[in-house]
Amino acid sequence: MLRRRKEVVSEAIKVTKNLDAFPKLEDDYQETSSARGTITVIVLSVIFVLVTLNISEYFSDKVKYSYEVDFDYESKLKLNVDLTVAMSCNDIGADVMDKSSRDIISSEGINMEDTWFELSPKQQKQFDYISQLYETIRSDFHALHSSLWNSYTKIPSSLGSREVNPSRSPDACRVHGTYELSKIAGNFHIIIGKSVSFMGNHAHMVNLFGNTKANFSHRIDNFSFGENSNLVHNALNYDLKITKSEKTSYQYFVSVVSTEVNSIKTYQYSVTEKHRDIDHSKNSHGTPGILFKYDISPLKVKVEKDNMSLLELAILLIGIIGGIFATSKMFNSLYQSIKDFLVSF
């Protein structure tokens, strides 16, 4: 009795295995076509390329720019400077003046210290490296702009300390520190003589009995606005100007724009520069020195990441795959119809 029951169960399992609810065509009834195979290969290749490109774009850095009026016009703006001039600190003065007054802005946060214009070998190597990076950014900005706004894109911000001091006396002056500015146009200048204010007028006193030789060759290690941030690459940083003339005037025209990068507030600027030799006989008037004329833009730039979400990527890929299959099926049906029509003749 037990043996008979096992045979019944075995027969039931065999019948279940052979059961197929979906009709199948024998191999002899299936028509193969090289054209359809070619279409299949093309479709799969197109899907692979498009899916790969979209996944790559998903992991790439994309940013979105928006512009609005900057209503924060009452707050103070920091001007950060760190530059070295090839003259003694006793012979030059560094001041900031804005259009609201003839008086100079307080320079309590500014230090002037004697140093050497020539860098040490280690500092020179670092300077060459950083200046080359900035030159690359300036020349290829439009190709690099997306990656520049990411916090991991960092450039060294210091040349490091000097290993050994030269045996000669200092021949340069390092001007560094921070000015507190109002958000109105003004200028930061370095010229011969210490600054004085007298009855609302601003002037620089020159030692008429001295033998001061002007040389406004200079190296800019930092010229920035607001809080120092790795998210902004300042156009004048690590710029070097050398002159052999005692009458050279350097002028920088700076346009400052308030910038918000991923909710972090900072400032960026564009700059136009020119230099000329002062020669009154040729109507080239002025004063030898270094002049930064800055203007504050009333607009604010907001920079935000613009990457799609994982759900958006999934929907996009499904749409691409489904659309390509549907299109390929339509073309295949059209091809088959044309083929049948031609064969009928």
Side-chain angles (χ1 to χ4, degrees), residues 102-165:
R102 293 184 178 180
D103 293 332
I104 62 174
I105 294 175
S106 175
S107 57
E108 292 181 357
I110 293 296
N111 299 306
M112 300 178 67
E113 58 184 58
D114 290 320
T115 185
W116 293 268
F117 193 74
E118 183 181 1
L119 297 171
S120 67
K122 183 179 179 180
Q123 288 177 322
Q124 186 63 53
K125 184 178 180 180
Q126 181 80 335
F127 180 84
D128 293 339
Y129 169 69
I130 301 176
S131 61
Q132 183 60 45
L133 289 179
Y134 271 94
E135 182 61 32
T136 301
I137 291 173
R138 285 190 283 265
S139 60
D140 298 335
F141 174 78
H142 292 287
L144 300 171
H145 72 96
S146 295
S147 61
L148 292 179
W149 298 113
N150 291 279
S151 58
Y152 56 78
T153 309
K154 296 181 179 179
I155 292 180
S157 58
S158 173
L159 298 179
S161 58
R162 188 182 294 271
E163 309 96 280
V164 180
N165 292 334

Side-chain angles (χ1 to χ4, degrees), residues 142-308:
H142 292 287
L144 300 171
H145 72 96
S146 295
S147 61
L148 292 179
W149 298 113
N150 291 279
S151 58
Y152 56 78
T153 309
K154 296 181 179 179
I155 292 180
S157 58
S158 173
L159 298 179
S161 58
R162 188 182 294 271
E163 309 96 280
V164 180
N165 292 334
S167 57
R168 64 183 185 276
S169 300
D171 58 1
C173 181
R174 181 189 176 201
V175 182
H176 61 98
T178 300
Y179 287 97
E180 293 283 344
L181 311 177
S182 299
K183 286 189 174 181
I184 55 178
N187 71 79
F188 165 61
H189 56 268
I190 300 175
I191 61 176
I192 296 177
K194 296 299 181 181
S195 63
V196 293
S197 294
F198 180 70
M199 297 181 64
N201 293 304
H202 171 238
H204 283 252
M205 299 297 293
V206 181
N207 184 3
L208 299 176
F209 301 100
N211 188 24
T212 302
K213 290 186 177 181
N215 182 357
F216 284 102
S217 298
H218 58 280
R219 180 180 63 251
I220 303 174
D221 294 335
N222 182 31
F223 188 87
S224 62
F225 294 87
E227 299 295 337
N228 287 317
S229 172
N230 289 315
L231 297 175
V232 173
H233 301 274
N234 303 294
L236 287 174
N237 282 15
Y238 296 96
D239 194 18
L240 176 66
K241 293 291 187 294
I242 301 294
T243 180
K244 296 181 179 180
S245 172
E246 295 184 16
K247 299 181 179 181
T248 303
S249 172
Y250 291 96
Q251 293 179 311
Y252 299 92
F253 302 91
V254 179
S255 180
V256 186
V257 182
S258 176
T259 306
E260 189 174 308
V261 187
N262 299 327
S263 301
I264 299 175
K265 294 183 179 180
T266 183
Y267 292 86
Q268 60 178 328
Y269 62 86
S270 61
V271 61
T272 302
E273 60 181 80
K274 72 174 185 177
H275 69 275
R276 60 189 175 91
D277 287 339
I278 304 301
D279 189 345
H280 299 292
S281 64
K282 296 181 180 179
N283 292 323
S284 178
H285 304 297
T287 303
I290 307 170
L291 174 68
F292 299 84
K293 296 187 70 174
Y294 61 86
D295 196 6
I296 313 298
S297 172
L299 296 179
K300 177 196 288 186
V301 179
K302 298 184 72 173
V303 185
E304 299 174 313
K305 290 185 177 181
D306 192 30
N307 293 338
M308 68 177 73

Side-chain angles (χ1 to χ4, degrees), residues 55-67:
I55 292 178
S56 176
E57 184 177 2
Y58 172 76
F59 288 104
S60 65
D61 301 314
K62 294 181 65 179
V63 293
K64 177 178 64 177
Y65 300 92
S66 58
Y67 306 89

